[in-house]
């Protein structure tokens, strides 16, 4: 990538003079509230909760390098002109790519609604965007405002830059060892984790999206109750982004320049910063310590031993001769420098784990779940990630397991990034449980699904015969009642069945007279909870009649909506008249 590296302003008297002249010329035309506040020093960025925000030394970018190109001394337009000049008007430097400009203005509107006291000007976002990434590399963004490849700063490994060890497992910056500033507004991952926004409504907080990044920058600059129309607050806000007075002056220069007027240019046609220079990395001593860098880029040879003092023995170079009484120091071989660990690319770094269309996970006890848990893995660029191990784990007390009786299985994601767990087999205990998908090692990503096991069901229950059920008052019904429960035409074993003596077919009115069951103590019961056996069959306990004759109803209902009403008749047996006998004639 064309890394945005700081060209230090203190590069000699000529550069300093030009920078000073540029700032002075621009300061004369900027708004009254925008002069550089005296005594501006380090940043003081705070999080929404009031604690110190940012990251390394409280800076959003981790004090990463930046472009130091200054705006032209010729202002974009005459004083008092519009800040929305037509595309054909104004200098090339004043042009801001269409999507980038739209993102800055949208951020100003959004923050103006939620935090009007901040008075965030979009030109400040434009100034920061200019020095951080050259307006997203001249507006190299797609239709959604996302850069085709991530804009990454150098590894903050302490060699010429700040030392910030990895905080995101390489999810955003593709570096699992050290952090890097990411995206058009150059947030380091730990700062993005706190301030990231979804401004384009795609459901993702993407530092490589100019809309998301611009809104995040706006909220970051406004934190702590700042009023950016006040010079001191504006200076503190900019310094909280990068704690450098040179950085503040550079941003201020572009801020004043854009306040004088800008115009929209097509995406991809913005002016890129030129000839960035890289800060010198920290020197690494060579084996033997022959040279050491000094300010100004020169080297100093290792001093040679001075003249020998009288009587002193001077070591003789080379191997010693036998018997000459001299010694030669044994050279210490330099330790080999271990090769650096390869930094995984964003394409090889797990970014997210998302639901790949898994529906509701519900099954009856002992049944098989119709749905299978499926996830999709994406890399740090948002593309599907193949060949990634994804582990699925069942947690709960229902006894539910994956096919083969396993609680945990590992599946490798396919080319489209999807990984689908095996079929789930419900246990016999009803209740809730979860299935968790986990992927990644350095910073694992997890996704948890809620699932449930419900009671066995039967949508139909019928008598197995059609015999009339009759008993005399105070007697037992001679014939037993047998039923069969089915679900979708298949026998339903283990289904709960409720048997109730009722007055109406709907079972709305209970009956306290007529037929009854008996409990263990022999007392009458008119409601029983039962369960079907093998093949869905159920034979009811004995039924007795009280002294009240009549026709009564027994209603059986099942989990799943099955029901049947059976008639029970209590009547005295018909009396038979005695046969008349003839009296023989006398």
């Amino acid at each position: 990538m064309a890394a945005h590296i700081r060209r230090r302003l203190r590069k000699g008297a000529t550069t300093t003079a030009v920078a000073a002249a540029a700032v002075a010329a621009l300061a004369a035309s900027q708004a009254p509230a925008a002069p550089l506040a005296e005594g501006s020093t380090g940043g003081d960025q705070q999080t929404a909760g009031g604690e110190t925000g940012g990251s390394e030394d409280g800076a959003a970018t981790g004090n990463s390098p930046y472009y130091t190109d200054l705006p032209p001394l010729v202002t974009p337009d005459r004083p008092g002109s519009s800040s929305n000049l037509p595309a054909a008007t104004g200098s090339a430097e004043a042009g801001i790519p269409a999507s980038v400009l739209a993102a800055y203005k949208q951020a100003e509107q959004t923050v103006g609604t939620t935090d009007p006291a901040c008075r965030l000007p979009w030109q400040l976002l434009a100034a920061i965007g200019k020095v951080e990434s050259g307006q997203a590399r001249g507006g190299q963004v797609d239709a959604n405002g996302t850069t085709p490849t991530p804009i990454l700063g150098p590894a903050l490994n302490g060699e010429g830059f700040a030392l910030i060890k990895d905080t995101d497992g390489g999810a955003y910056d593709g570096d699992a060892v050290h952090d890097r500033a990411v995206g058009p507004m150059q947030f380091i991952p730990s700062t993005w984790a706190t301030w990231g926004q979804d401004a384009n409504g795609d459901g993702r907080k993407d530092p490589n999206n100019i809309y998301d990044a611009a809104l995040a920058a706006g909220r970051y600059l406004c934190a702590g109750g700042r009023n950016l129309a006040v010079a001191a607050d504006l200076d503190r806000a900019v310094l909280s982004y990068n704690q450098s007075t040179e950085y503040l002056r550079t941003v201020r220069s572009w801020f004043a320049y854009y306040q004088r007027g800008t115009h929209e240019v097509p995406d991809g046609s913005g002016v890129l910063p030129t000839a960035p220079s890289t800060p010198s990395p920290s020197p690494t001593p060579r084996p033997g310590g022959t040279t050491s860098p000094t300010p100004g880029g020169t080297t100093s040879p290792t001093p040679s031993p001075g003249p020998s003092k009288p009587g002193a023995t001077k070591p003789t170079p080379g191997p010693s001769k036998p018997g000459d009484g001299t010694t030669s120091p044994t050279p210490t071989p330099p330790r080999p420098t271990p090769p650096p660990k390869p930094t995984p690319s964003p394409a090889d770094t797990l970014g997210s784990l998302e639901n790949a269309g898994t529906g509701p996970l519900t099954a009856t006890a002992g049944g098989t779940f119709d749905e299978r848990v499926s996830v999709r893995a994406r890399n740090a660029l948002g593309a599907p990630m193949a060949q990634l191990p994804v582990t699925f784990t069942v947690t709960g007390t229902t006894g539910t397991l994956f096919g083969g009786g396993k609680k945990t299985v590992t599946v490798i994601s396919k080319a489209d990034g999807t990984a689908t767990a095996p079929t789930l087999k419900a246990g016999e205990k009803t209740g809730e449980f979860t299935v968790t998908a986990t992927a990644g090692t350095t910073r694992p990503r997890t996704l948890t699904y809620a699932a449930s096991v419900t009671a066995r069901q039967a949508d139909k229950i019928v008598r197995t015969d059609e015999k009339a059920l009759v008993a005399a008052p105070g007697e037992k019904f001679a014939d037993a009642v047998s039923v069969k429960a089915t679900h979708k035409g298949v026998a339903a074993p283990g289904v709960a069945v409720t048997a109730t003596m009722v007055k109406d077919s709907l079972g709305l009115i209970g009956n306290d007279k007529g037929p009854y069951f008996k409990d263990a103590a022999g007392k009458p019961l008119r409601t029983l909870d039962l369960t079907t056996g093998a093949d869905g069959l159920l034979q009811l306990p004995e039924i007795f009649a009280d002294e009240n004759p009549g026709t009564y109803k027994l209603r059986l209902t099942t989990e799943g909506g099955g029901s049947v009403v059976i008639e029970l008749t209590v009547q005295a047996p018909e009396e038979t008249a005695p046969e008349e006998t003839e009296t023989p004639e006398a």
Side-chain angles (χ1 to χ4, degrees):
M1 65 164 260
H4 59 86
I5 309 299
R6 170 169 53 205
R7 179 175 16 170
R8 300 186 182 276
L9 294 179
R10 53 176 181 272
K11 283 282 186 178
T14 303
T15 305
T16 304
V18 172
V23 174
L26 292 168
S29 63
Q30 63 189 44
L36 187 66
E38 294 185 5
S40 295
T41 55
D44 65 342
Q45 185 62 51
Q46 293 183 341
T47 64
E51 297 179 358
T52 300
S55 43
E56 183 72 9
D57 295 327
T61 65
N63 294 326
S64 291
Y66 56 91
Y67 287 118
T68 60
D69 300 53
L70 291 171
L73 293 178
V74 179
T75 55
D77 194 29
R78 62 185 180 278
S81 66
S82 168
S83 62
N84 296 285
L85 302 177
T89 307
S91 71
E93 282 286 6
I96 299 179
S99 294
V100 178
L101 182 59
Y104 296 150
K105 292 184 176 181
Q106 177 177 300
E108 179 192 62
Q109 274 191 321
T110 302
V111 174
T113 300
T114 59
D115 187 8
C118 175
R119 300 178 67 181
L120 170 72
W122 65 261
Q123 292 92 339
L124 179 60
L125 296 175
I128 291 175
K130 179 68 174 179
V131 302
E132 292 294 349
S133 69
Q135 309 297 20
R137 293 177 179 154
Q140 296 286 346
V141 296
D142 61 19
N144 293 320
T146 303
T147 59
T149 57
I151 300 176
L152 299 175
L156 298 175
N157 56 13
E159 297 181 8
F161 312 116
L163 173 60
I164 305 180
K165 295 183 179 180
D166 174 65
T167 61
D168 68 329
Y172 292 119
D173 55 14
D175 191 333
V177 179
H178 297 98
D179 271 350
R180 298 169 182 255
V182 183
M185 303 304 282
Q186 289 292 277
F187 281 95
I188 60 172
S190 59
T191 307
W192 184 259
T194 300
W195 293 94
Q197 303 288 315
D198 175 20
N200 65 347
D202 64 355
R204 299 181 62 210
K205 296 178 181 179
D206 185 0
N208 294 297
N209 180 275
I210 185 60
Y211 290 95
D212 293 358
L215 181 57
R219 295 201 188 285
Y220 184 91
L221 293 167
C222 287
R226 294 195 186 100
N227 177 358
L228 300 183
V230 175
D233 277 6
L234 187 142
D235 289 350
R236 280 193 290 268
V238 174
L239 287 168
S240 75
Y241 219 86
N242 192 313
Q243 294 180 345
S244 162
T245 303
E246 295 172 358
Y247 179 85
L248 172 61
R249 292 186 181 278
T250 306
V251 170
R252 277 276 197 173
S253 298
W254 284 105
F255 177 45
Y257 184 75
Y258 287 135
Q259 282 185 316
R260 297 288 300 131
T262 62
H263 59 274
E264 178 184 299
V265 297
D267 287 346
S269 64
V271 177
L272 292 173
T274 58
S277 61
T278 306
S280 299
S282 301
T284 301
R286 296 183 182 180
T290 56
T291 61
S292 61
T294 61
T298 62
T299 59
S300 301
T302 301
S304 59
S308 301
K309 296 181 180 179
T313 302
K314 182 178 180 180
T316 303
S320 61
K321 296 179 181 179
D324 64 0
T326 62
T327 60
S328 176
T330 303
T332 302
R335 292 183 180 180
T337 303
K341 294 182 181 179
T343 300
S345 68
D348 297 327
T349 302
L350 177 61
S352 64
L353 203 62
E354 61 188 39
N355 186 0
T358 306
L361 295 169
T362 303
T364 57
T368 300
F369 284 76
D370 294 331
E371 286 285 331
R372 294 169 63 185
V373 178
S374 184
V375 300
R376 176 174 283 104
R378 295 189 183 275
N379 61 24
L381 302 177
M385 193 169 184
Q387 297 300 309
L388 179 73
V390 180
T391 300
F392 298 90
T393 304
V394 175
T395 304
T397 59
T398 64
T400 300
L401 299 170
F402 292 111
K406 297 180 179 179
K407 273 194 170 185
T408 300
V409 295
T410 299
V411 179
I412 305 300
S413 64
K414 298 188 294 186
D416 63 354
T418 60
T420 302
T423 301
L424 284 165
K425 176 74 173 180
E428 291 297 332
K429 186 176 179 180
T430 62
E432 307 292 326
F433 68 97
T434 60
V435 180
T436 302
T438 305
T441 53
T442 305
R443 281 189 175 268
R445 303 295 191 268
T446 61
L447 196 61
T448 301
Y449 297 80
S452 62
V453 176
T454 60
R456 294 173 182 266
Q457 297 183 346
D459 52 22
K460 188 175 183 180
I461 184 169
V462 296
R463 282 191 67 189
T464 57
D465 61 59
E466 296 181 356
K467 291 182 180 179
L469 298 170
V470 181
E475 299 293 332
K476 179 178 68 174
F477 284 81
D479 296 308
V481 177
S482 296
V483 295
K484 183 175 183 178
T486 57
H487 182 66
K488 296 181 179 179
V490 179
V495 174
V497 178
T498 300
T500 308
M501 301 295 178
V502 295
K503 291 183 177 180
D504 61 309
S505 297
L506 296 178
L508 299 177
I509 304 173
N511 203 339
D512 57 357
K513 296 180 180 180
Y516 59 90
F517 304 104
K518 286 183 179 181
D519 63 12
K523 295 181 179 180
L525 284 177
R526 288 186 168 85
T527 296
L528 278 181
D529 290 324
L530 307 165
T531 303
T532 60
D535 297 326
L537 294 173
L538 171 65
Q539 180 171 308
L540 273 63
E542 293 178 326
I543 302 175
F544 301 86
D546 64 8
E547 300 298 332
N548 299 288
T551 300
Y552 299 90
K553 292 180 172 61
L554 168 64
R555 188 170 188 262
L556 305 178
T557 58
T558 68
E559 290 282 346
S563 67
V564 63
V565 176
I566 301 171
E567 285 194 353
L568 302 172
T569 302
V570 178
Q571 65 179 25
E574 294 182 1
E575 294 184 4
T576 302
E579 293 184 2
E580 293 183 1
T581 56
E582 293 183 359
T583 303
E585 293 180 0

